[in-house]
Amino acid sequence: MQKTLDYSSSRNKTFDLIISALLISLVFVSTVFLNIKLPIGGQGGLVHLGTGMLFIASIMFGPKKGALAGSLGMGLFDLMSGWTIWAPGTIIARGLQGYIVGKIAWSKGRNGNSIGFNLFGMMVSIPVMVVVYYLYESIIFGNWIIPLGSIPGNLVQNAVGMVIAIPVCLVLKKTPLFK
Amino acid sequence: MMEKMIFGRYIPGESFVHRLDPRSKLIFVFAFILVVFLANNIVTYALLLAFTLLVILMSRIRLYFLINGLKPIIILLVFTFFIHILFTREGDILLDLGFLKVYEEGLRQGIFISVRFLVLVFMTSILTLTTSPISITDGIEVLLNPLKKIKLPVHELALMMSIALRFIPTLMDETDKIMKAQMARGSDLSAGPLKERIKAVVPLLVPLFVSAFKRAEDLATAMEVRGYRGGEGRTRYRQLKWDWRDTLCLVVFVIMTALLVFYRN
Amino acid sequence: MDIKLQQVSYAYSKGTPFEKYALFNVDLTIPHGTYQAIIGHTGSGKSTILQHFNGLLKPSEGQVHIGERVIVAGKKAKELKPVRQKVGIVFQFPEHQLFEETVLKDIMFGPMNFGVSEQVAEARARELIKLVGLPEDILNKSPFDLSGGQMRRVAIAGVLAMDPEVIVLDEPTAGLDPRGQKEIMDMFYNLHKERGLTTILVTHSMEDAARYADQIAIMHEGRCVLNGTPHEIFSDSDTLEKYRLELPHIVRFQRKIEQLMKKPLSKICLTEEELAAEVAHALREGRDAK
Amino acid sequence: MTEILSFNNVSFSYTPDNPELRNAVQDVSFSINEGEWIAIVGHNGSGKSTMVKLVCGLLFPQDGEVRVMRNVLTEENLWEVRSNIGMVFQNPDNQFVGATVQDDVAFALENSGVPYTEMVDRVHSSLAQVKMDKFLNHEPHHLSGGQKQRVAIAGALAMRPKLLILDEATSMLDPQGRDEVLKTVRALREEIGLTVLSITHDVEEALFADRVLFMNNGQKYAEGTPSEIFSLGDKLVEFGLELPFAMRMTKLFKDNGVLLEGQHMSEEELVNDLWTSNFNK
Ligand SMILES: Nc1ncnc2c1ncn2[C@@H]1O[C@H](COP(=O)(O)OP(=O)(O)OP(=O)(O)O)[C@@H](O)[C@H]1O
Ligand SMILES: Nc1ncnc2c1ncn2[C@@H]1O[C@H](COP(=O)(O)OP(=O)(O)OP(=O)(O)O)[C@@H](O)[C@H]1O
Ligand SMILES: [Mg+2]
Ligand SMILES: [Mg+2]
């Protein structure tokens, strides 16, 4: 299945648009619907798989779509679940995160095929995400201490995301659809 | 689960707030977030609070939904309050327990910041409770239209968002089905030792991803044969209507801002 | 292994404002070795009921017996793995569950989750791929390289590889061409006969229900309103109509012929062969009588 | 008679650089005139969907030409051609673009820049044509499969197409949904004389067509009226299809020694023949 075969450029543009849209839905669905229960961590140990899906989207489809999927997918989650005031922060933090992962994983024509770079990309994105959230929360709380509380949770989420993204991307990369 | 998420937020209705144009609501809420930071004394905070309560009343949203939406945040709110009490050491001492001293300024700060936080959460919630996601998207699209000049693909972003919204229920169903199918094959995300649960992620996410990709191909074909080739020359079926309510709403907002500026220290 | 539902009710999103009952007091017993069909109008609760057969859904009220295991409403059900191994479910469009690199690995996935050794799992895969009508060299291909019909067969092999005693089928042939449909239905029927598998078929096709099933249950608005042999079920077209179902094509045709002959045939025919023989017989009798 | 669509010796391969694999479509020719109902039948993978993609310029043939309204389909006239063709695909979920029923029907109109007031008219009237006008603001996940497909048909009708193509539009539906869709298409044929190209495995569905193309492994195996095609008998079965019910019964009756005159495609004919040959003597 080579999707480029004989398809016009308008078709490819349309396809890009739709893929981005579906990645947004996927990130949203994984955030809302998919949880793993860890023996540790905040919120009763429930960690959602949204971050993992964000990583996968960035690694499979590069920085632009990764950024869109992350910022809009998770932004939408905030909007629809009572965390509305977090949405602007999420849009920036997750957008940057998706962009960084994609940019590094897709640097120099790697197209997400190098596990090392994928890993490196995810690692680099984590502090960025944590810092953006920290800054945003300090504004809405008007305080520098309270937002520290969300850092451990963010780290756990990202760690789980990485643990998930690596094997899933490995398998996906081997399917003929994504060659 | 699915129903809860999708419709738990937007509650259809006919109130004044519901009937506002999404553009005016968006402008209003966005400006409100900025203006909130003007408040710095009792009068101004009281003004904000009163105003927020007025909007809540006018939206005719049952308090139940607002409070319910607040649940995850309540702990943070309490926490914020106490942090301010503990760490601010100015003004008179109101309470002295030896190891803990509560200062007047601390209490004030605690209350102010909590009110600010509460007002922000309520106001943004009202937006999402009274406006469907698709209307929000429409509103944002039209508001961002001027940015087309700097090559921001506003139309594409809006269409993308609307397709994403339309596919959320479909993909939720799909997730549920794949999850069940893999559970029936002995791989379970929700039970068993941690290692097993993490291992169950691959059989779930891979088919989900593949299926989304195939849907994208089908949808691209369908859109293409229905004549879609980018935003140029397209007309709009969804029309937004700006009427007196919206103008009134912005006028009130300007007055409120003026009062805030007037009464702040 | 018998399956028994006693007074089972099920509500989706229980305890939320969106609570919705999809099953009401369902009683259904499926004895070991039966070929049970479940028919009903869209949304009547067929898919909901079948997920109770291996504990994917737990009853909101009532209890489900699966062999020795009892799943009771309100009580925590632990360790459902043995049940899931014994009751295999082929969902609608099962090709959506494929994910492994190769067909072989995907077929081995189920059995290995249930602790079957690699060798045994592989041996089963090699045996089953032939049973579902595919060449053995397909085992090393990626499942995503196959055609829709081939993917369907691989997915079915993946469920059969768990070596279940009960096999539950939710519209297993939707979207296949007529030959593919017939091959798959015949394959399940042969498995049912040769290995004595209890088979539960959820279907919209009255024809398949009439042709293959020993017992047919009708679902209507979340209730199991009727359970009987195909002859019992299809002899009463008024009742079927009440549940917004049709007679199988063959029975409708028999009715037309009976009108023509102005007398009923001696029995209700559920297959085309049966009807042809019966009509021939009746005509011969008629001629002899003259 | 005006020709609407024709294939002239069209071949297409998804893998042109691997000539060992057979072409998905191999040397196919046929033509469709205005007002006809043509059915294409064939087993899974026989190349039916590929032909549809060739008609609307999603793919271009490596050999031969596709003509739509007498013009050879090229990159240049692609969009013009597409505005004359309405399509309904197999999976009801994967072709619903809009957030609600009316938005979806309006999608193609928006694309071709139809002014707002006219859009509203056309959306309402085409939804009325498929009897979905009570569902204007319904969201897709609250509709049944058959309803979604009818909305898809309305979306096509809104563009006033010359040709409506249904690519297995009923194969994922339950019997009721299938009935709804087929009834809708048949009614539209009577009302507005629409030209229809329907692709299906379902032989009973093909019986309603004026002409049937029978595909096998990418080639057109036969073409003719339904009775011509179905008189091929065992060949159909050999190539993955089945005979219509009445024909299977005719054959079985004859095998059992029941007197019958001819071959029958419809139940009515068969019953009549049974009557005249056996009781009316
Ligand atoms: N996840 C869910 N959440 C809420 N309601 C549901 C869910 N799944 C099914 N339902 C509802 O439960 C009822 C029974 O659905 P079910 O899927 O069991 O029907 P079915 O008989 O299998 O239908 P079909 O023939 O269309 O497959 C329907 O009214 C349906 O809308
Ligand atoms: N995107 C693709 N890339 C490569 N091969 C393809 C692609 N799509 C289809 N094929 C192959 O082309 C042939 C014809 O496929 P096509 O989809 O046209 O068949 P069909 O008659 O529509 O089948 P069905 O009844 O299953 O829809 C098949 O052998 C198929 O495997
Ligand atoms: Mg079902
Ligand atoms: Mg096809």
Side-chain angles (χ1 to χ4, degrees):
Chain A
M1 289 235 195
Q2 312 105 300
K3 68 168 202 292
T4 47
L5 190 111
D6 274 294
Y7 286 142
S8 54
S9 65
S10 79
R11 153 83 184 203
N12 287 335
K13 255 184 156 167
T14 309
F15 186 76
D16 278 354
L17 189 155
I18 299 170
I19 274 290
S20 312
L22 287 184
L23 291 174
I24 294 170
S25 304
L26 277 178
V27 169
F28 177 87
V29 169
S30 316
T31 311
V32 179
F33 202 45
L34 297 177
N35 303 296
I36 287 194
K37 202 167 177 153
L38 293 189
I40 43 128
Q43 287 172 28
L46 273 192
V47 179
H48 65 71
L49 302 190
T51 314
M53 195 45 110
L54 185 166
F55 287 150
I56 298 169
S58 301
I59 292 172
M60 297 301 295
F61 290 102
K64 259 193 177 165
K65 299 196 182 80
L68 282 169
S71 62
L72 297 182
M74 295 218 173
L76 197 61
F77 169 76
D78 286 348
L79 225 59
M80 300 222 303
S81 58
W83 303 86
T84 317
I85 186 65
W86 266 261
T90 299
I91 288 176
I92 299 168
R94 297 300 192 164
L96 272 176
Q97 184 167 32
Y99 190 81
I100 291 170
V101 177
K103 196 74 190 170
I104 294 177
W106 280 52
S107 57
K108 304 226 171 72
R110 281 186 193 90
N111 292 355
N113 290 320
S114 148
I115 299 180
F117 272 79
N118 296 350
L119 208 62
F120 180 59
M122 292 190 272
M123 302 275 231
V124 173
S125 79
I126 295 174
V128 177
M129 175 262 194
V130 169
V131 167
V132 173
Y133 265 121
Y134 177 76
L135 292 177
Y136 183 77
E137 287 182 356
S138 16
I139 296 174
I140 56 173
F141 290 120
N143 182 296
W144 299 101
I145 300 159
I146 302 161
L148 288 176
S150 51
I151 291 179
N154 284 343
L155 290 178
V156 172
Q157 247 183 41
N158 278 292
V160 171
M162 279 177 31
V163 170
I164 288 161
I166 295 166
V168 171
C169 287
L170 268 181
V171 179
L172 282 174
K173 284 276 171 195
K174 282 187 196 143
T175 65
L177 285 171
F178 298 100
K179 269 189 183 141
Chain B
M1 182 72 193
M2 165 185 137
E3 299 280 317
K4 198 161 71 188
M5 258 336 283
I6 301 295
F7 307 106
R9 286 314 280 174
Y10 170 54
I11 300 162
E14 285 293 319
S15 74
F16 183 88
V17 181
H18 279 91
R19 283 176 22 210
L20 286 172
D21 187 294
R23 284 170 295 182
S24 62
K25 280 192 259 190
L26 280 162
I27 297 174
F28 186 94
V29 170
F30 198 72
F32 186 84
I33 293 176
L34 298 179
V35 163
V36 160
F37 290 91
L38 283 177
N40 64 355
N41 56 14
I42 294 198
V43 183
T44 42
Y45 273 111
L47 193 66
L48 282 179
L49 200 59
F51 191 74
T52 308
L53 289 177
L54 181 73
V55 174
I56 292 176
L57 281 181
M58 290 208 318
S59 72
R60 300 223 205 110
I61 296 284
R62 296 215 331 261
L63 221 53
Y64 163 83
F65 285 104
L66 273 176
I67 305 293
N68 215 25
L70 212 59
K71 262 187 201 153
I73 293 164
I74 228 109
I75 301 171
L76 279 171
L77 199 68
V78 174
F79 199 58
T80 311
F81 180 71
F82 280 108
I83 290 273
H84 277 275
I85 285 188
L86 290 180
F87 285 82
T88 314
R89 307 233 152 110
E90 286 165 44
D92 301 336
I93 296 177
L94 295 179
L95 184 74
D96 191 346
L97 298 174
F99 64 98
L100 181 136
K101 292 191 180 68
V102 177
Y103 294 82
E104 188 189 330
E105 189 57 24
L107 186 65
R108 256 162 63 103
Q109 282 296 326
I111 292 176
F112 283 175
I113 300 285
S114 304
V115 168
R116 184 166 94 197
F117 185 60
L118 207 64
V119 163
L120 281 173
V121 169
F122 273 146
M123 212 49 131
T124 46
S125 291
I126 290 286
L127 172 72
T128 47
L129 284 166
T130 61
T131 325
S132 71
I134 196 75
S135 301
I136 295 184
T137 309
D138 283 343
I140 293 178
E141 176 180 5
V142 178
L143 288 177
L144 292 184
N145 249 337
L147 297 186
K148 271 186 184 157
K149 293 216 180 65
I150 56 161
K151 293 258 155 58
L152 189 75
V154 176
H155 158 77
E156 277 76 9
L157 280 170
L159 183 62
M160 188 185 294
M161 211 52 210
S162 95
I163 294 176
L165 287 168
R166 180 246 162 280
F167 270 91
I168 285 170
T170 313
L171 290 183
M172 282 204 169
D173 267 359
E174 181 99 358
T175 309
D176 189 51
K177 278 183 194 152
I178 298 173
M179 203 143 75
K180 296 247 173 80
Q182 305 299 27
M183 269 161 86
R185 290 209 284 168
S187 133
D188 198 338
L189 200 64
S190 59
L194 183 61
K195 208 172 129 229
E196 295 284 306
R197 273 179 278 149
I198 295 212
K199 256 170 67 187
V201 170
V202 173
L204 174 64
L205 292 194
V206 170
L208 190 58
F209 218 81
V210 167
S211 123
F213 189 82
K214 288 189 174 153
R215 281 182 200 280
E217 292 205 314
D218 280 4
L219 198 65
T221 304
M223 281 171 62
E224 184 100 325
V225 301
R226 290 169 78 184
Y228 180 76
R229 44 175 161 169
E232 237 149 89
R234 275 190 108 224
T235 39
R236 281 183 71 90
Y237 184 69
R238 295 178 145 270
Q239 300 280 331
L240 298 177
K241 268 219 288 303
W242 185 281
D243 64 18
W244 61 269
R245 283 189 200 87
D246 303 292
T247 313
L248 176 70
C249 178
L250 292 194
V251 169
V252 170
F253 182 78
V254 171
I255 294 173
M256 188 195 69
T257 313
L259 288 176
L260 279 179
V261 173
F262 184 76
Y263 284 111
R264 76 191 296 260
N265 298 359
Chain C
M1 203 167 83
D2 299 353
I3 292 185
K4 203 154 63 179
L5 271 61
Q6 286 177 336
Q7 293 292 308
V8 168
S9 298
Y10 183 80
Y12 284 101
S13 322
K14 183 143 177 91
T16 73
F18 305 97
E19 178 174 297
K20 177 165 192 291
Y21 269 85
L23 293 181
F24 301 91
N25 297 326
V26 172
D27 278 308
L28 180 65
T29 303
I30 304 170
H32 182 79
T34 318
Y35 197 126
Q36 170 84 50
I38 299 177
I39 58 179
H41 194 262
T42 315
S44 57
K46 303 184 296 294
S47 300
T48 309
I49 205 174
L50 79 77
Q51 291 174 45
H52 283 82
F53 295 147
N54 73 348
L56 283 177
L57 294 180
K58 289 174 201 96
S60 307
E61 285 132 50
Q63 44 183 282
V64 179
H65 297 247
I66 306 165
E68 304 289 291
R69 267 304 287 267
V70 189
I71 299 173
V72 183
K75 284 198 193 150
K76 255 213 159 115
K78 276 186 255 144
E79 255 324 295
L80 287 165
K81 265 196 167 185
V83 172
R84 302 223 167 117
Q85 185 269 315
K86 282 186 192 131
V87 182
I89 300 192
V90 177
F91 284 93
Q92 217 176 0
F93 302 106
E95 55 272 27
H96 294 170
Q97 73 198 35
L98 301 175
F99 73 99
E100 282 278 18
E101 242 169 278
T102 65
V103 169
L104 178 67
K105 279 193 192 170
D106 207 290
I107 299 181
M108 287 162 62
F109 174 71
M112 286 177 58
N113 278 331
F114 292 113
V116 169
S117 75
E118 205 169 328
Q119 288 85 348
V120 176
E122 184 168 343
R124 282 192 199 164
R126 292 193 183 282
E127 178 203 335
L128 283 167
I129 200 76
K130 278 178 274 179
L131 186 80
V132 295
L134 294 173
E136 213 176 320
D137 60 2
I138 238 175
L139 285 174
N140 297 318
K141 286 197 186 169
S142 160
F144 302 108
D145 260 339
L146 308 180
S147 76
Q150 290 172 323
M151 279 164 89
R152 178 78 55 96
R153 287 163 201 256
V154 169
I156 289 173
V159 175
L160 291 175
M162 301 175 344
D163 202 16
E165 291 172 36
V166 179
I167 183 111
V168 182
L169 310 167
D170 193 356
E171 300 252 8
T173 63
L176 295 182
D177 62 26
R179 178 176 53 195
Q181 292 184 8
K182 186 160 186 324
E183 279 171 7
I184 298 229
M185 288 312 295
D186 284 347
M187 179 200 77
F188 282 123
Y189 191 66
N190 291 337
L191 275 176
H192 167 71
K193 284 281 165 216
E194 285 161 18
R195 305 197 182 172
L197 285 184
T198 309
T199 306
I200 303 170
L201 170 70
V202 167
T203 184
H204 281 290
S205 159
M206 300 300 134
E207 282 68 36
D208 285 345
R211 176 176 282 269
Y212 297 106
D214 307 322
Q215 285 284 320
I216 300 179
I218 298 182
M219 293 294 300
H220 182 66
E221 292 174 356
R223 291 167 212 277
C224 179
V225 287
L226 216 56
N227 187 20
T229 65
H231 282 101
E232 287 161 10
I233 296 286
F234 292 129
S235 57
D236 185 358
S237 58
D238 295 341
T239 312
L240 279 173
E241 204 169 303
K242 197 168 92 200
Y243 302 129
R244 292 198 279 165
L245 296 171
E246 281 197 322
L247 286 172
H249 204 156
I250 187 75
V251 181
R252 269 179 287 155
F253 187 62
Q254 176 175 350
R255 295 279 184 257
K256 276 191 196 160
I257 294 180
E258 285 171 347
Q259 269 174 14
L260 197 72
M261 294 167 60
K262 300 202 178 59
K263 67 166 197 220
L265 297 176
S266 62
K267 64 171 183 187
I268 294 207
C269 302
L270 295 176
T271 66
E272 293 164 8
E273 295 78 8
E274 216 180 336
L275 179 67
E278 194 64 25
V279 169
H281 180 72
L283 286 176
R284 232 175 288 128
E285 270 185 355
R287 237 172 289 152
D288 294 346
K290 267 186 198 163
Chain D
M1 276 195 292
T2 350
E3 175 191 298
I4 285 214
L5 167 71
S6 73
F7 270 44
N8 299 309
N9 305 97
V10 171
S11 296
F12 177 84
S13 165
Y14 286 99
T15 48
D17 34 317
N18 191 350
E20 283 156 50
L21 299 175
R22 73 174 170 83
N23 288 350
V25 169
Q26 172 64 40
D27 198 24
V28 170
S29 305
F30 67 91
S31 76
I32 300 179
N33 295 319
E34 198 164 337
E36 278 192 298
W37 177 335
I38 308 282
I40 302 184
V41 298
H43 59 83
N44 287 132
S46 60
K48 305 181 298 288
S49 298
T50 310
M51 284 165 68
V52 171
K53 291 193 182 131
L54 289 163
V55 173
C56 57
L58 284 166
L59 301 171
F60 286 94
Q62 276 113 8
D63 263 320
E65 58 181 23
V66 175
R67 282 189 303 185
V68 180
M69 314 227 271
R70 300 205 166 126
N71 297 319
V72 176
L73 184 63
T74 59
E75 294 267 7
E76 283 74 52
N77 61 13
L78 194 72
W79 296 99
E80 162 77 32
V81 162
R82 284 179 187 165
S83 70
N84 283 305
I85 300 177
M87 295 242 189
V88 182
F89 297 96
Q90 181 175 21
N91 191 331
D93 272 323
N94 296 358
Q95 51 190 319
F96 207 113
V97 187
T100 65
V101 166
Q102 56 175 335
D103 290 315
D104 189 62
V105 175
F107 182 71
L109 300 173
E110 292 179 315
N111 290 335
S112 47
V114 175
Y116 177 70
T117 40
E118 192 184 341
M119 256 196 298
V120 175
D121 271 359
R122 289 217 215 166
V123 167
H124 285 86
S125 66
S126 37
L127 277 171
Q129 279 179 306
V130 300
K131 305 212 164 47
M132 286 293 290
D133 40 344
K134 295 216 172 59
F135 295 80
L136 279 179
N137 287 316
H138 280 234
E139 290 166 14
H141 61 280
H142 290 305
L143 300 176
S144 72
Q147 290 173 328
K148 279 183 223 166
Q149 292 300 60
R150 273 149 65 202
V151 173
I153 295 176
L157 288 179
M159 288 298 289
R160 317 245 161 89
K162 295 272 182 352
L163 174 64
L164 180 67
I165 302 182
L166 308 162
D167 186 356
E168 293 191 38
T170 58
S171 78
M172 287 177 77
L173 307 181
D174 57 301
Q176 283 86 4
R178 190 170 309 163
D179 270 3
E180 279 171 28
V181 171
L182 287 179
K183 276 206 189 100
T184 305
V185 175
R186 243 174 271 153
L188 285 173
R189 291 247 317 144
E190 295 198 345
E191 278 168 39
I192 55 177
L194 199 62
T195 315
V196 176
L197 175 61
S198 77
I199 288 169
T200 176
H201 299 135
D202 184 349
V203 286
E204 309 287 338
E205 202 175 310
L207 281 179
F208 292 100
D210 301 318
R211 226 156 13 109
V212 180
L213 298 186
F214 177 17
M215 297 293 297
N216 178 44
N217 278 339
Q219 289 177 307
K220 185 175 87 177
Y221 180 78
E223 175 182 348
T225 60
S227 57
E228 282 164 1
I229 293 298
F230 293 121
S231 63
L232 292 169
D234 292 340
K235 273 283 179 260
L236 280 152
V237 181
E238 188 185 327
F239 295 156
L241 302 177
E242 59 184 356
L243 292 173
F245 175 78
M247 293 189 68
R248 295 198 301 266
M249 284 314 301
T250 310
K251 186 160 175 292
L252 283 170
F253 278 144
K254 287 184 173 167
D255 291 350
N256 277 285
V258 177
L259 297 176
L260 283 176
E261 293 282 317
Q263 276 291 341
H264 302 290
M265 292 202 315
S266 79
E267 266 174 60
E268 275 60 44
E269 280 173 29
L270 175 56
V271 173
N272 285 338
D273 189 355
L274 257 181
W275 173 247
T276 47
S277 308
N278 293 284
F279 301 98
N280 209 9
K281 296 212 167 120

